[in-house]
Amino acid sequence: MADKAIELIDVSFRHKIPSPKFTNPWHTRKGPGIFGLNFSLKKGEIMGLVGPNGAGKTTLLRILAGVMPIDEGRIKINELELTKSDEAVDTQLRTLIGHMPEQVRWSGSTTVYRTIEDFANMRKSPTSTEKLLKLVGLSTKSNASLDELSQGMRQRLSLAIAMMGAPQILLLDEPFNGLDPVAAKSVEKMIKQLTKRGVSIIVSSHQVSGLVGLIDKLLLIHRGQIVADGTIEAIETKLGLENRIELKGTGESPDLAKYIGSGEIIEHSDGKESWNCIIQNPDEDCIQKIVNDGHNLVEWKRKPPDIVELLCQATGLEIEEIGMEVQSSNMMPYRTISEEE
């Protein structure tokens, strides 16, 4: 079994919300945050951190990056508990973990090379600017100003800054935001290359589909709590969302009940000249039967669950109850999925 690069044990944090009183105008109360999180990440593993707005993704990443201290719990790096050191936990985390925030607003006439040099001067460990530029594919843009960079190049620059000091754990907050498909594939390739060097990576995202084929495991959080943890396939099976296919065709829609055997039709819609459906657990020869009967099937593929489906199944709530809005400041966490009613 591979060594654990990082492990969280009962970690909690609550934001302080202003709640002024007549006798104390600076009084605060506890607001939203993360509650009793327990998970681990192996060396060279990629974890997808997924949840709706306000779920606590960015809060968790900032805690791991040492930007905010934890209220309770323990954090281990390479199976050594950080609280046993003379240094504060957040100080140790800033030394050991690289953090790429979401969409850093790089701008100005400063060159890419000078920007990396300025950040390198703030760190204790020596940094080779040339090697970093080559690693993220910005060698030809070293003398370009920040204003000249595309969104994809800005993401690469953020990644270069996060990798200073050769951290063994990287936190990437929405690294694919604003990227065209070519740039996104390029960043994805870089992420996979880093794991071959033993780097462990946590990728935050609003979408599950964009992480399929990239991550080794998924951590789904909602209202500051973990509601699902494991491989995408294992979570699908546990939540009853496994083995689903999506079919699209043209012309008259077939009588799907004739072909799916013991399967179940999850969705089915007909247009004027096309139709599509989602089927769970169909017979293995379902597609072949549809084609053999003369129906024009133009596309069929595995249907991964989206974030809303996962949240509904994991929490037992309806879409309207979950919503995709930022949670109110006094929102308390749910019971864990294993807790009795």
Side-chain angles (χ1 to χ4, degrees), residues 249-252 270-275:
T250 58
E252 183 180 353
D270 287 318
K272 291 183 178 180
E273 299 179 355
S274 63
W275 57 271

Side-chain angles (χ1 to χ4, degrees), residues 57-201:
K57 301 189 302 297
T58 298
T59 295
L60 175 56
L61 292 184
R62 287 175 178 172
I63 286 172
L64 294 177
V67 177
M68 299 186 301
I70 62 175
D71 293 336
E72 299 175 2
R74 296 178 292 151
I75 299 177
K76 292 182 179 182
I77 300 288
N78 296 325
E79 302 189 7
L80 296 176
E81 191 170 334
L82 299 186
T83 53
K84 302 299 183 184
S85 172
D86 293 333
E87 285 188 304
V89 172
D90 50 341
T91 302
Q92 296 176 71
L93 289 171
R94 285 195 294 271
T95 304
L96 299 169
I97 296 180
H99 181 212
M100 176 182 167
E102 181 184 1
Q103 290 191 357
V104 179
R105 269 48 173 191
W106 298 110
S107 62
S109 58
T110 306
T111 65
V112 171
Y113 189 94
R114 184 70 258 172
T115 299
I116 294 180
E117 287 280 283
D118 289 342
F119 275 88
N121 290 334
M122 292 186 252
R123 300 186 66 93
K124 297 179 182 179
S125 56
T127 299
S128 172
T129 300
E130 289 80 7
K131 286 184 178 179
L132 277 177
L133 287 170
K134 184 177 180 180
L135 183 61
V136 299
L138 285 178
S139 296
T140 59
K141 293 293 182 180
S142 61
N143 294 319
S145 70
L146 299 180
D147 285 337
E148 297 176 49
L149 301 181
S150 66
Q151 180 58 37
M153 294 174 187
R154 289 186 169 93
Q155 295 289 69
R156 289 168 183 258
L157 178 57
S158 296
L159 183 58
I161 302 298
M163 291 172 58
M164 284 185 176
Q168 289 303 297
I169 301 172
L170 271 179
L171 313 174
L172 309 180
D173 195 355
E174 299 286 356
F176 305 111
N177 260 8
L179 299 185
D180 60 66
V182 175
K185 282 293 181 184
S186 179
V187 172
E188 182 178 320
K189 182 179 179 180
M190 280 190 289
I191 291 173
K192 291 180 178 180
Q193 289 174 339
L194 289 171
T195 61
K196 294 179 181 178
R197 302 184 180 193
V199 179
S200 304
I201 300 176

